[in-house]
Amino acid sequence: MGYNIAVDGPAGAGKSTIARAVAKKKGLIYVDTGAMYRAMALYMLREQIPLDNMERIVEKCEQASITIRYENGEQVVLLNGENVNPFLRTEEVGNAASVISPIPQVREKLRKLQKELAAMSDCIMDGRDIGTCVLPNAQLKIYLTASSQVRAQRRYDELAAKGQEGELNKILQDIEERDYRDIHREESPLKQAEDAVLVDTSDMTVDQVIEVISGLCQHDR
Ligand code: DC
């Protein structure tokens, strides 16, 4: 096994920003597992599968080929051969991902891919169940969190930076609903692994968080 860091936590805690930066600093590959759930959700939306029809989702899930490629250190998600990165980071796809991610067959399929990637390379992987289920033997586990208000504000700023209009109250409501679903689902719920280091980023700058996690990382480039 290579050197693996697991980063889990709720939506908007800063997982991807931090994991991407630590990957660069420490010479690791960044594996974004949320993007895989998002790609699966995008497939269901495109195929017009009702998100409450579990049977059809399970059936369709088998037909979806999701693979990962790296271009200039960036993860590219291929859905049936197509680079779908440009379509993954919308609220619609994020909410759909949260709805389909409790389905065991969906998780099983994506987890297999995640384990394969971790076995092949030294990586920092972020998600919800990485420290608890996907990489229980990771050398370092981080549970990254922040208050829901802070996370909503960050999402709002992120959208604004992309020129997209967001409504803060609606974003906060979505975040709280998504947290509830992620925490209360039966299948691998979002929770801190016993051996994970808790980092609350509510009052920290991005650089401070990168510094703390890099300090805990024993991987030398
Ligand atoms: O981190 P994100 O917002 O890109 O994740 C989108 C959804 O995917 C999120 O609501 C929960 C789900 N997810 C999951 O269940 N397990 C993971 N390892 C990663 C994401």
Side-chain angles (χ1 to χ4, degrees), residues 68-137:
I68 300 295
R69 191 168 71 197
Y70 284 87
E71 282 175 13
N72 306 320
E74 275 297 307
Q75 169 179 298
V76 175
V77 184
L78 303 171
L79 171 60
N80 296 326
E82 175 195 351
N83 172 359
V84 289
N85 275 19
F87 311 110
L88 300 181
R89 306 243 32 112
T90 66
E91 291 301 298
E92 185 194 16
V93 171
N95 286 328
S98 172
V99 174
I100 65 155
S101 61
I103 300 173
Q105 288 88 342
V106 169
R107 302 203 73 80
E108 203 179 312
K109 179 163 180 150
L110 298 180
R111 253 191 220 146
K112 185 167 173 279
L113 172 63
Q114 292 155 15
K115 287 185 179 184
E116 283 167 6
L117 288 168
M120 274 188 331
S121 42
D122 293 344
C123 71
I124 179 164
M125 183 179 290
D126 78 353
R128 303 293 189 286
D129 60 339
I130 310 307
T132 49
C133 299
V134 181
L135 305 176
N137 300 319

Side-chain angles (χ1 to χ4, degrees), residues 4 17 110 141 164 193:
N4 296 154
T17 306
L110 298 180
K141 297 180 185 177
Q164 291 172 27

Side-chain angles (χ1 to χ4, degrees), residues 162-175:
K162 283 193 273 185
Q164 291 172 27
E165 186 107 6
E167 203 203 305
L168 191 56
N169 273 336
K170 172 80 174 66
I171 295 174
L172 177 61
Q173 193 186 340
D174 278 352
I175 280 193

Side-chain angles (χ1 to χ4, degrees), residues 8 11 15 32-35 37-38 89 94 97-98 101 107 114 126-130 155 178 182 185:
D8 293 300
K15 296 186 299 294
D32 172 3
T33 66
Y37 287 92
R38 285 170 182 264
R89 306 243 32 112
S98 172
S101 61
R107 302 203 73 80
Q114 292 155 15
D126 78 353
R128 303 293 189 286
D129 60 339
I130 310 307
R155 271 277 192 262
R178 203 181 296 179
D182 291 351
R185 69 184 179 209

